[in-house]
């Protein structure tokens, strides 16, 4: 294992300290590094809080700031944060309009966020489950919440800035989640620092279709294919799952898992765009980059979100975070 670390036990705390120092104009750390919070809060705005295991950066801490999250709770690598983290974050960033938890559908995340919500006042939740690869996985009952979570956070962040109330934000979040589908493919495994070895073994000429963001098994192991063939299989799964809804304007998000260069991600975007347009989808908005990663895994995911005028406008709205910045 070759990684830039001092000690396995301090990877997360040192990374959080570095992140907060590098982006001190946007964020600050909560007590005991239990959460990353927006430095300047907006009074009487619903506070958006998300989180999950570390190792997926810049999700979620890199999405804290104007137009997105008010706080993010980082767990240890690939491990859910604890309920006290969410409770303390909610108490700290609630400016009077309540809090909305945005939760990826993984059993640990769902259980701990639910416990925190039950012990807090004025909290509602949106659970994301955009992964079409498998119906149940090692860590979920039902579909996994993956890169589509970023889309939900961006659109809800813009709506919250406009002053949308808590109940309406939850309804909007559920709507965006229903309009979003994702699927990924891995070319290599990832290496958790504490383990010191790859999460799973995969041949140099193999790929894992439908891999999870923790390296969970997907739909099938296959021999490596050209990019067009990979994009075609993923896009067919996404469009097939959306059914009749897969017509009209959409956001296409090609996300890297941490070990794939931008050149390859843009090549995959080009392949996916061509495939989706053949199915009658018009790519009206785009995002390409490594935003929902799996440490150093080579691979990518494709996310499609069907848009209407309202959600397209909210996607375009100004955002200023460590990872996403436009319109400011």
């Amino acid at each position: 294992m070759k990684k830039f670390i001092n000690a396995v036990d301090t990877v997360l705390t040192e990374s959080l300290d570095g992140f907060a120092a590098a982006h001190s104009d946007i964020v600050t750390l909560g007590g005991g590094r239990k959460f990353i919070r927006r430095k300047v809060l907006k009074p009487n705005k619903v506070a958006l809080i998300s989180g999950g295991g570390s190792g997926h950066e810049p999700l979620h801490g890199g999405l804290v700031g104007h137009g997105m999250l008010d706080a993010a709770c980082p767990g240890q690598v690939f491990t859910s944060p604890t309920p006290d983290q969410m409770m303390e974050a909610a108490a700290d960033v609630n400016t009077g309009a309540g809090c909305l938890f945005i939760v990826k559908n993984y059993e640990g995340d769902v259980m701990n966020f639910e416990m925190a919500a039950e012990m807090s006042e004025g909290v509602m939740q949106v659970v994301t489950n955009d992964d079409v690869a498998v119906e149940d996985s090692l860590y979920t009952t039902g579909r996994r919440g993956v890169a589509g979570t970023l889309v939900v956070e961006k659109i809800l962040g813009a709506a919250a800035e406009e002053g949308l109330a808590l109940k309406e934000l939850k309804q909007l979040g559920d709507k965006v989640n229903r309009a979003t589908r994702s699927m990924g493919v891995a070319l290599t495994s990832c290496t958790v620092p504490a383990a010191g070895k790859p999460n799973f073994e995969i041949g140099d000429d193999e790929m894992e279709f439908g891999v999870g963001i923790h390296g969970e098994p997907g739909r099938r192991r296959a021999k490596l294919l050209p990019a067009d063939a990979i994009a075609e299989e993923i896009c067919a799964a996404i469009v097939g799952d959306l059914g009749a809804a897969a017509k009209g304007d959409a956001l296409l998000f090609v996300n890297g898992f941490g070990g794939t260069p931008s050149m390859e991600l843009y090549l995959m975007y080009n392949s996916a765009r061509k495939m989706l347009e053949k199915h009658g989808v018009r790519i009206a908005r785009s995002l390409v980059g490594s935003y929902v990663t799996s440490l150093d895994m080579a691979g990518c995911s494709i996310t499609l979100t069907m848009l209407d005028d309202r959600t397209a406008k909210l996607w375009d709205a100004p955002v200023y975070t460590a990872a996403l910045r436009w319109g400011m």
Side-chain angles (χ1 to χ4, degrees):
M1 179 180 72
K2 293 182 179 179
K3 292 184 179 293
F4 293 111
I5 62 175
N6 293 311
V8 169
D9 293 342
T10 61
V11 168
L12 177 57
T13 57
E14 291 181 68
S15 178
L16 288 171
D17 287 345
F19 176 79
H23 302 288
S24 59
D25 60 322
I26 305 173
V27 302
T28 187
L29 293 180
R33 303 184 186 88
K34 290 184 177 180
F35 56 92
I36 301 163
R37 55 154 282 180
R38 186 169 164 177
K39 188 170 185 178
V40 179
L41 299 173
K42 187 173 182 178
N44 298 314
K45 181 188 82 68
V46 174
L48 303 186
I49 301 171
S50 193
S54 298
H56 305 304
E57 290 77 12
L59 195 82
H60 296 273
L63 305 176
V64 172
H66 178 89
M68 288 196 78
L69 299 175
D70 294 277
C73 302
Q76 293 295 322
V77 174
F78 294 175
T79 302
S80 174
T82 55
D84 66 297
Q85 291 179 251
M86 285 75 95
M87 292 172 63
E88 291 186 29
D92 193 65
V93 301
N94 187 348
T95 61
C99 298
L100 182 67
F101 289 166
I102 302 172
V103 188
K104 301 186 301 298
N105 187 37
Y106 286 92
E107 288 177 352
D109 288 2
V110 170
M111 178 179 68
N112 289 345
F113 271 96
E114 281 184 352
M115 289 176 62
E118 290 171 0
M119 293 185 285
S120 304
E121 293 186 5
V123 173
M124 300 185 78
Q125 298 187 77
V126 169
V127 177
T128 62
N129 60 351
D130 51 299
D131 189 356
V132 303
V134 292
E135 192 60 39
D136 295 297
S137 75
L138 293 176
Y139 305 107
T140 66
T141 300
R143 294 180 172 183
R144 301 174 290 210
V146 288
T149 308
L150 177 147
V151 180
V152 173
E153 291 175 356
K154 171 63 185 79
I155 290 174
L156 289 188
E161 295 288 351
E162 290 184 354
L164 202 65
L166 179 58
K167 182 179 179 180
E168 286 69 35
L169 277 172
K170 175 182 165 45
Q171 292 171 347
L172 176 62
D174 290 339
K175 171 187 170 182
V176 175
N177 179 62
R178 289 193 301 269
T180 301
R181 301 290 190 279
S182 301
M183 184 170 161
V185 60
L187 307 182
T188 70
S189 181
C190 57
T191 300
V192 176
K197 61 182 181 179
N199 270 17
F200 60 92
E201 297 295 329
I202 187 167
D204 290 341
D205 61 344
E206 292 181 319
M207 56 186 179
E208 181 80 21
F209 268 110
V211 69
I213 57 174
H214 309 96
E216 311 97 300
R219 288 186 168 190
R220 66 186 182 93
R221 183 75 57 89
K223 295 297 183 182
L224 187 63
L225 296 170
D228 281 349
I230 296 171
E232 183 173 13
E233 180 164 338
I234 292 175
C235 291
I238 288 172
V239 169
D241 200 83
L242 281 167
K247 299 292 181 185
D249 288 357
L251 161 70
L252 173 57
F253 171 24
V254 175
N255 169 68
F257 286 150
T260 301
S262 294
M263 181 174 69
E264 294 177 34
L265 295 179
Y266 279 108
L267 189 154
M268 284 297 296
Y269 170 86
N270 188 54
S271 296
R273 184 185 184 105
K274 290 186 296 184
M275 301 300 168
L276 290 166
E277 287 176 344
K278 288 180 182 178
H279 287 284
V281 177
R282 190 179 84 85
I283 306 306
R285 302 291 187 275
S286 304
L287 183 66
V288 180
S290 296
Y291 295 100
V292 183
T293 63
S294 184
L295 292 169
D296 53 350
M297 182 186 287
C300 75
S301 60
I302 296 172
T303 295
L304 191 72
T305 299
M306 305 311 299
L307 299 172
D308 56 27
D309 290 344
R310 172 69 169 146
T311 52
K313 178 183 175 184
L314 291 169
W315 177 261
D316 292 341
V319 59
Y320 191 83
T321 69
L324 289 185
R325 298 183 187 185
W326 61 70
M328 298 294 288

